[in-house]
Amino acid sequence: MWSSSQASTTRGVVEMGRVEAGPSHFPKRPAARNPVRINLSRTQAVKPCSSGDRWGISVKCNLGWFSQPPDLRHHFRVHSSASEAVLTSQSDLRKLFVGNEKIGVLLLNLGGPETLDDVQPFLFNLFADPDIIRLPRLFRFLQKPLAKFISVVRAPKSKEGYASIGGGSPLRQITDAQAEALREALCEKDVPAKVYVGMRYWHPFTEEAIEQIKRDGITKLVVLPLYPQFSISTSGSSLRLLESIFREDEYLVNMQHTVIPSWYQREGYIKAMATLIENELTKFSEPQKVMIFFSAHGVPLAYVEEAGDPYKAEMEECIDLIMEELEKRGITNPCTLAYQSRVGPVEWLKPYTDETIIELGQKGVKSLLAVPISFVSEHIETLEEIDVEYKELALESGIKNWGRVPALGCEPTFISDLADAVIESLPYVGAMAVSNLEARQSLVPLGSVEELLAAYDSKRDELPPPVIVWQWGWTKSAETWNGRAAMLAVLVLLVLEVTTGEGFLHQWGILPLHH
């Protein structure tokens, strides 16, 4: 995403060997799509993105300018005015970029309550995030009171869900296991590193992980969100928090660091997902007749259409790559994609998972294999929403045979590929730090993600309303405006409760009585 004048600046300074485009080095699939796949949403071809342009990084260092991350699997040659250095092996590169440095990897994830007592404070942290509930500027002082109200109201039902899966979320235990597996994989690849876990809404919080990173004296840090596809509501929220932390700490400002914003195209991830799907298909009596049902976590439609969130495009390309890998293995089952976990009155990405399951049953589909495509760990959305709610809905809709692909967890191919991603990012960690320190630019690598955050977050522009004009009747517009009216009424009641100390919330014991 650079101008021609910027591109011309790079020529003649660094000469690199032929490399594959993009951070994943995964070959692009042909444009034609398999005709047997079923897409219940609006027909729309997915154009393979040019990863070299999309995620290309242009950073300034003492060797000149890199126009994109170097590919460690190929030889490359760096020229300077005084000398010529030829690096001929991965081990040489690792020695050069690791040396006596203290390498750290920070895994970012959502977090989840570990006990039933944690549910309400976890929900408060979630809804207090302005990326989850965006209030008009005039009402932003009510962000935390509103989060308190919603978390108290929703806690009883949420506790029921967590109770049904064992009394809490297993996300932390799984993420800790992934961190240890990644550390071991890096060690086996001759890159000793410490791996940290930073959760957005529950312990260990990102702030806690950063403090430990400082105590350990880490000098090179690779930030790795555990979200395969980038979204402003997941990876973006975590990275914005990191930006605010880095901006206020001189040690962190000077620490060399970079971010791997998304990795859904990586070969190891694609192969690992294809293997899990292939294994689950064998459990059906007639595997070739099974519909592969990708269910992804949804985001508000306005994030994609107005704020420029790349999530939908990345998700569709990710599924294309997985299906291409399955086709190589002789698996040509039909597939479809839907989005789950929507909340609130606004319109979310469609088609919705529950509506799609009902429609598949009406179309005569008898065997369904659910694939939680946006999740790499088991948690409430997989163990309760998919395994319980959607399974029950599928059976009620006429689907006779139900299966579900497990989340990746510590699958060896997946973990090894994450280790490769970290290693591949090390050559330009130092260069990114120099660029950030000089220009005080975003923590996110320069390119389309940085531009997305700059437009959506740095300016803090308001998300546009999902419906522009009023439409009378039982319509989406009316539903949206009714939701807004209800939210305004809740805000007014909440203000009265807080300011007067009296009202039905105090009478019911939800808020403490004032004496």
Side-chain angles (χ1 to χ4, degrees), residues 13-153:
V13 180
V14 176
E15 179 183 346
M16 302 180 65
R18 181 183 180 88
V19 297
E20 296 171 277
S24 66
H25 316 300
F26 192 88
K28 293 294 182 181
R29 73 182 306 276
R33 305 181 72 171
N34 191 328
V36 302
R37 300 182 197 166
I38 296 177
N39 189 347
L40 296 174
S41 62
R42 180 181 59 189
T43 302
Q44 181 178 5
V46 180
K47 297 181 180 179
C49 68
S50 177
S51 298
D53 293 333
R54 185 175 193 176
W55 301 118
I57 297 177
S58 181
V59 292
K60 188 175 183 180
C61 64
N62 59 346
L63 293 177
W65 289 80
F66 287 105
S67 61
Q68 60 181 349
D71 186 344
L72 296 189
R73 299 181 302 173
H74 296 269
H75 305 315
F76 68 91
R77 181 170 296 156
V78 180
H79 296 279
S80 67
S81 59
S83 64
E84 178 181 272
V86 181
L87 305 177
T88 59
S89 70
Q90 289 191 27
S91 60
D92 290 337
L93 287 171
R94 291 168 186 169
K95 291 178 182 177
L96 174 62
F97 293 112
V98 176
N100 295 324
E101 303 282 356
K102 292 186 176 180
I103 307 298
V105 181
L106 175 59
L107 302 182
L108 300 178
N109 212 332
L110 181 75
E114 299 178 69
T115 68
L116 295 182
D117 291 336
D118 298 335
V119 171
Q120 190 272 322
F122 165 77
L123 292 175
F124 171 79
N125 294 335
L126 179 70
F127 293 115
D129 183 359
D131 293 310
I132 301 300
I133 296 181
R134 298 184 66 86
L135 296 178
R137 284 190 175 88
L138 182 63
F139 296 103
R140 284 185 182 172
F141 71 97
L142 293 173
Q143 185 82 46
K144 290 187 177 180
L146 180 60
K148 179 70 173 180
F149 174 77
I150 296 176
S151 64
V152 169
V153 171

Side-chain angles (χ1 to χ4, degrees), residues 80 128 165 168 193 195 221 253 266 279 291 297 304 345 360 387 389 448 456 468 506:
S80 67
I165 63 172
V195 183
L221 180 67
V253 168
R266 294 192 60 85
N279 292 341
M291 166 73 72
H297 200 290
V304 174
L360 289 174
D387 288 354
E389 295 180 20
S448 62
Y456 173 70
I468 304 300
H506 291 81

Side-chain angles (χ1 to χ4, degrees), residues 361-416:
Q362 293 173 346
K363 289 179 176 292
V365 173
K366 298 301 180 184
S367 298
L368 200 64
L369 176 60
V371 183
I373 186 61
S374 55
F375 310 104
V376 298
S377 305
E378 303 290 359
H379 56 302
I380 190 73
E381 279 88 354
T382 61
L383 299 176
E384 200 274 335
E385 191 170 5
I386 294 180
D387 288 354
V388 178
E389 295 180 20
Y390 292 148
K391 178 181 180 180
E392 181 179 344
L393 178 62
L395 297 178
E396 292 174 352
S397 302
I399 295 171
K400 303 297 183 183
N401 306 303
W402 170 273
R404 203 262 286 179
V405 171
L408 283 165
C410 294
E411 200 279 336
T413 303
F414 164 59
I415 295 296
S416 178

Side-chain angles (χ1 to χ4, degrees), residues 326-467:
L326 289 172
E327 289 166 12
K328 293 177 182 177
R329 305 181 186 190
I331 299 173
T332 58
N333 294 56
C335 76
T336 192
L337 165 66
Y339 296 91
Q340 66 181 85
S341 308
R342 70 185 189 275
V343 293
V346 300
E347 187 172 359
W348 286 53
L349 285 179
K350 289 186 175 182
Y352 300 140
T353 293
D354 51 357
E355 294 178 357
T356 304
I357 289 176
I358 295 173
E359 187 172 348
L360 289 174
Q362 293 173 346
K363 289 179 176 292
V365 173
K366 298 301 180 184
S367 298
L368 200 64
L369 176 60
V371 183
I373 186 61
S374 55
F375 310 104
V376 298
S377 305
E378 303 290 359
H379 56 302
I380 190 73
E381 279 88 354
T382 61
L383 299 176
E384 200 274 335
E385 191 170 5
I386 294 180
D387 288 354
V388 178
E389 295 180 20
Y390 292 148
K391 178 181 180 180
E392 181 179 344
L393 178 62
L395 297 178
E396 292 174 352
S397 302
I399 295 171
K400 303 297 183 183
N401 306 303
W402 170 273
R404 203 262 286 179
V405 171
L408 283 165
C410 294
E411 200 279 336
T413 303
F414 164 59
I415 295 296
S416 178
D417 191 61
L418 284 186
D420 289 339
V422 170
I423 293 171
E424 290 166 16
S425 72
L426 288 176
Y428 56 88
V429 167
M432 284 303 302
V434 173
S435 176
N436 290 342
L437 186 60
E438 291 179 352
R440 288 297 193 271
Q441 293 171 336
S442 170
L443 175 67
V444 183
L446 304 180
S448 62
V449 173
E450 190 274 340
E451 292 169 356
L452 171 69
L453 291 180
Y456 173 70
D457 302 303
S458 297
K459 298 178 182 178
R460 287 294 177 183
D461 291 339
E462 294 294 330
L463 285 177
V467 178

